[in-house]
Amino acid sequence: MFATLSDRLTSTFKNLRTKGRLSEADIDATVREIRRALLDADVAVPVVRSFTGAVRERALSAEVSAALNPAQQIVKIVNEELVAILGGDTRTLNMAKNPPTVILLAGLQGAGKTTLAGKLALHLKSQGHTPLLVAADLQRPNAVTQLQVVGERAGVPVFAPHPGNQGSDDVLPFGADPVGVARAGLETAHQRQHDVLIVDTAGRLGVDADLMQQASDIRDAVSPDEILFVIDAMIGQDAVTTAQAFADGVGFTGVVLSKLDGDARGGAALSVASVTGRPIMYASTGEKLTDFEVFHPDRMASRILD
Ligand code: GDP
């Protein structure tokens, strides 16, 4: 995903290698190149501005380290600033003192929430947790079935209403009430001693008031320990406005970038944490349940500058 950005930055640094000492003009020229590379990669303008401002200031005031040549010093500064905009330290899930830990997934339709629910459940299961998935996306006809398929693949149980199954013993009295499903899912997790509850919610194609209200109602019903905002990295510049709308409308504690395996230019990945002040916690990198990574800002920065 970051191939172009990575090439652009690397060639910028290459031009510095022959320099013995960097003048202010050299630093300004380098910062301009970095700015263009970031803008071309779809990084949000305010993020580019603060990033290049920080790099310039630090490069101008950098103590000359005998161990590093000027190019290496700039690379080091850019690396540290990339880590910072990607959220700093790797953040792990905030686990509840009294289980179950409740994780709510929010995001637009097609962002990858249902897929992510299965990936996260599998990941947590492999760490010895006993997750329960809850199908509170009742908007799309197939969403419940899709979560059940994903749960089966992950070997994790799914709590879901069966609206078309009237008369059977496992009919749940919710109709199309996602808040009721989420609440009953939480009760079930308590009863069956699941230590983590992952609640999949409905998305819409665009941000709208109903979507925000429903996600907020579910949030209030289950008091999540984490609200993970799932964003499709392929949506480019729109990622930032969407993220901001969810931050204002529902609030979230962490970001999951999905479809990082695609050929987007990477700007979403580089902007969302910085604009919302919430860390990227996981990356989704494909359609298989194992295409999933804990997000490490330092490793991502090194990958970009490799
Ligand atoms: P939801 O509407 O937010 O629940 O999104 P889904 O989980 O249904 O995902 C929408 C589509 O994107 C599905 O076809 C998924 O298989 C696909 N998808 C989800 N995550 C990824 C990913 O990381 N990479 C790729 N390439 N496809 C993904």
Side-chain angles (χ1 to χ4, degrees):
M1 148 162 296
F2 292 107
T4 312
L5 176 63
S6 191
D7 289 350
R8 292 273 299 271
L9 292 176
T10 316
S11 66
T12 302
F13 302 140
K14 216 177 270 167
N15 296 337
L16 292 175
R17 261 195 221 147
T18 50
K19 306 250 180 202
R21 199 178 156 277
L22 296 186
S23 65
E24 188 166 342
D26 291 330
I27 290 172
D28 281 339
T30 304
V31 167
R32 264 198 306 277
E33 294 270 319
I34 296 172
R35 177 182 297 129
R36 268 189 230 121
L38 293 173
L39 288 172
D40 288 348
D42 273 349
V43 179
V45 172
V47 178
V48 175
R49 200 175 295 136
S50 67
F51 185 91
T52 50
V55 170
R56 182 176 187 275
E57 195 173 310
R58 289 185 59 191
L60 284 172
S61 66
E63 281 174 33
V64 181
S65 156
L68 298 178
N69 66 34
Q72 288 167 330
Q73 285 182 20
I74 297 262
V75 173
K76 181 167 178 282
I77 293 169
V78 169
N79 182 295
E80 288 168 3
E81 291 299 326
L82 275 176
V83 173
I85 65 165
L86 288 168
D89 293 332
T90 304
R91 231 265 272 132
T92 51
L93 281 177
N94 170 31
M95 301 304 274
K97 278 199 200 78
N98 298 311
T101 296
V102 178
I103 303 170
L104 186 68
L105 305 181
L108 293 180
Q109 185 175 316
K113 287 182 298 301
T114 306
T115 310
L116 188 272
K119 291 176 174 184
L120 186 58
L122 182 63
H123 171 72
L124 290 170
K125 191 182 146 196
S126 75
Q127 294 185 328
H129 294 288
T130 54
L132 175 67
L133 287 161
V134 178
D137 176 356
L138 309 185
Q139 214 80 39
R140 267 192 308 137
N142 281 334
V144 172
T145 322
Q146 193 191 337
L147 191 69
Q148 284 167 327
V149 168
V150 156
E152 202 164 301
R153 276 196 207 134
V156 169
V158 176
F159 181 87
H162 298 264
N165 208 10
Q166 305 296 329
S168 137
D169 284 347
D170 58 359
V171 171
L172 298 169
F174 307 113
D177 171 20
V179 177
V181 172
R183 199 178 284 125
L186 179 57
E187 269 166 36
T188 303
H190 275 295
Q191 284 161 11
R192 299 188 191 160
Q193 302 191 342
H194 290 280
D195 69 345
V196 181
L197 186 75
I198 301 171
V199 184
D200 188 21
T201 66
R204 304 269 159 109
L205 289 174
V207 171
D208 73 30
D210 285 350
L211 165 71
M212 292 300 172
Q213 191 58 50
Q214 186 181 95
S216 302
D217 291 345
I218 295 174
R219 176 198 64 202
D220 295 344
V222 299
S223 305
D225 300 283
E226 295 277 7
I227 302 177
L228 301 184
F229 168 65
V230 184
I231 180 89
D232 177 346
M234 300 290 285
I235 71 173
Q237 295 274 7
D238 284 347
V240 168
T241 38
T242 307
Q244 200 62 60
F246 273 88
D248 297 341
V250 188
F252 52 85
T253 54
V255 177
V256 179
L257 289 172
S258 72
K259 311 191 194 178
L260 270 193
D261 51 313
D263 59 359
R265 288 176 279 187
L270 290 177
S271 307
V272 167
S274 177
V275 167
T276 64
R278 294 287 178 263
I280 302 167
M281 296 179 64
Y282 301 105
S284 207
T285 54
E287 299 198 49
K288 291 201 302 290
L289 285 189
T290 46
D291 296 331
F292 172 85
E293 295 172 18
V294 173
F295 190 86
H296 298 285
D298 54 347
R299 288 189 209 164
M300 185 56 87
S302 304
R303 224 186 276 174
I304 295 170
L305 296 180
D306 209 9

